[in-house]
Amino acid sequence: MTDSNSGSYTGPDRVFSGVQPSGSLHLGNYLGALKKFARLQNEKDCVFCIVDLHAITVPQDPAKLADQTREIAAAYFAAGVDPSKAIVYAQSSVRAHTELAWYFNCVARTGWLNRMTQFKDKAGKNAERASVGLYTYPVLQAADILAFKATHVPVGEDQKQHLELSRDIAGKFNHDFNAPNFFPLPEPLIKGPGAKVMSLRDGTKKMSKSDPSDASRINLTDTPDQIAKKVRKAKTDTGAVPATASEMEGRPDIANLIGIYSALSERSEADIMNEHGGGQFGPFKNALADVAVETLRPVTESMNRYLAAPDEIDAILNKAGDAAAEIADPIVADVRRIIGFRGA
Ligand code: AMP
Ligand code: TRP
């Protein structure tokens, strides 16, 4: 039993999260997800997945998919996720995901999926031509989490709605099959600095790999020079650096830069405003550029070292895939029995 709104689930705590192997990772992924993962591995049992089955909901180049998967693994390790403490594996190597996703397709209601804003954003005006997989993407996500009976899911704020759907699916399964508390109702872990890193070009839009402007984001593969340039070009206004939270109000571009500064330096926003408040943005951006470069340098370097040894990455992922299946397979076997299949 964990948090008050987790029902009366009595199983052990377990953390699960996933990152898609599509496009390069950016500062939002690092602060909103990877950095949190590295911290959590010291507190709880953690399972971290590279969700390549989710990636193919939109077209992927078969010649690149495996390398993209290794790249995310390298980013996990470079951000401090330790394969001797946490399970880090590729989703497609564990069959439990696809199997449980089908069962959950029969539990989730189309009305629930019709409300998912990420599908609407991704499918755009061409929803009729989007893959069915993109539509049921959040059902697969629920299967990821619940195949491990995960109780806690660290994600950025954009995943809040998908987590609510996972809870709804878990609750409806437990109820419909008269299996009280079989699945936990997983808790999102969203709070903390970096939960929503915004675009450097528009503080009202989230930093995203799909933004056509590369200047809108800091990629984990950017050189120090590129990082510094992007920070110096980040959108600000003609006012001074705010000295208090109220001076930051209504200034999303500025709030974003101060939030990034705080998350990267692990200093409070108040502390940063104390130092820079009242000053011009030039010196503030120089200081932020320095912090960004120095914090990300070791991450990028370590990522490149891992990427130079793809066999090592594969060995870790393979072993972890077996460990993941050892947890998930018995849970899915129980689900088959609960549903009532012959021979289950
Ligand atoms: P994705 O790259 O969409 O698979 O996202 C991987 C993880 O990064 C998820 O937990 C997201 O919530 C998180 N994430 C993505 N973009 C941002 C952002 N701009 N700010 C904070 N977290 C983010
Ligand atoms: N949908 C998540 C994203 O785009 C990735 C994801 C897939 C995930 N399965 C998950 C996150 C399970 C947390 C738990 O960021």
Side-chain angles (χ1 to χ4, degrees):
M1 169 72 198
T2 52
D3 308 76
S4 56
N5 54 347
S6 292
S8 342
Y9 180 75
T10 52
D13 279 1
R14 183 173 286 134
V15 170
F16 183 96
S17 196
V19 176
Q20 290 195 59
S22 46
S24 63
L25 290 174
H26 54 72
L27 188 65
N29 300 127
Y30 176 68
L31 295 175
L34 299 176
K35 212 176 149 185
K36 278 192 212 155
F37 299 171
R39 206 170 48 236
L40 280 163
Q41 69 186 347
N42 299 316
E43 296 165 17
K44 294 189 196 301
D45 263 0
C46 287
V47 181
F48 297 125
C49 188
I50 303 151
V51 292
D52 47 3
L53 298 171
H54 278 100
I56 64 162
T57 55
V58 295
Q60 297 295 330
D61 181 349
K64 293 191 183 146
L65 187 58
D67 275 341
Q68 287 168 199
T69 302
R70 292 184 189 103
E71 198 174 312
I72 302 298
Y76 271 117
F77 304 146
V81 175
D82 177 347
S84 72
K85 291 184 183 162
I87 295 177
V88 178
Y89 74 105
Q91 189 186 27
S92 60
S93 65
V94 175
R95 311 272 163 182
H97 294 274
T98 43
E99 184 176 346
L100 189 58
W102 178 256
Y103 305 148
F104 283 172
N105 271 328
C106 303
V107 173
R109 306 289 92 183
T110 56
W112 299 357
L113 288 183
N114 288 339
R115 286 195 281 277
M116 294 293 119
T117 56
Q118 185 172 297
F119 175 76
K120 289 179 198 162
D121 291 346
K122 283 199 183 172
K125 293 193 187 79
N126 255 334
E128 296 263 322
R129 303 187 55 111
S131 73
V132 174
L134 191 65
Y135 183 66
T136 67
Y137 174 115
V139 176
L140 176 60
Q141 182 163 347
D144 298 342
I145 297 165
L146 295 167
F148 293 86
K149 293 192 173 177
T151 52
H152 296 81
V153 184
V155 279
E157 207 168 284
D158 58 342
Q159 293 301 310
K160 202 169 164 189
Q161 197 184 33
H162 287 167
L163 261 290
E164 276 157 19
L165 185 90
S166 297
R167 292 167 63 88
D168 288 344
I169 290 177
K172 186 163 167 59
F173 179 94
N174 291 349
H175 174 267
D176 288 1
F177 291 99
N178 194 22
N181 303 311
F182 176 74
F183 283 122
L185 307 187
E187 285 285 320
L189 300 176
I190 294 179
K191 286 200 190 63
K196 195 163 188 189
V197 177
M198 310 306 277
S199 157
L200 298 180
R201 310 298 304 159
D202 177 353
T204 63
K205 281 196 333 203
K206 76 167 182 171
M207 185 177 284
S208 153
K209 45 189 148 196
S210 55
D211 193 315
S213 162
D214 190 60
S216 71
R217 64 183 159 263
I218 292 174
N219 302 302
L220 289 189
T221 48
D222 281 347
T223 62
D225 229 33
Q226 286 171 314
I227 296 175
K229 272 207 190 98
K230 287 178 180 176
V231 170
R232 292 201 184 97
K233 274 178 52 187
K235 194 167 162 228
T236 47
D237 56 30
T238 51
V241 177
T244 61
S246 65
E247 284 178 27
M248 199 157 65
E249 255 168 49
R251 299 167 82 189
D253 297 298
I254 315 301
N256 185 38
L257 294 184
I258 291 183
I260 291 174
Y261 199 144
S262 158
L264 281 172
S265 62
E266 298 184 355
R267 289 168 56 192
S268 71
E269 296 193 351
D271 193 24
I272 289 157
M273 287 192 281
N274 262 337
E275 185 185 338
H276 292 278
Q280 298 303 304
F281 279 110
F284 168 81
K285 282 179 170 177
N286 285 340
L288 174 55
D290 286 349
V291 171
V293 165
E294 287 321 312
T295 315
L296 295 180
R297 189 198 304 275
V299 179
T300 310
E301 283 174 1
S302 164
M303 209 172 138
N304 289 335
R305 272 197 304 278
Y306 276 105
L307 285 174
D311 293 349
E312 234 171 86
I313 295 181
D314 282 343
I316 296 172
L317 292 181
N318 290 342
K319 195 167 152 227
D322 292 344
E326 251 174 62
I327 301 171
D329 287 349
I331 293 173
V332 175
D334 284 345
V335 171
R336 294 169 65 89
R337 202 174 31 73
I338 290 169
I339 294 175
F341 289 123
R342 187 193 61 84

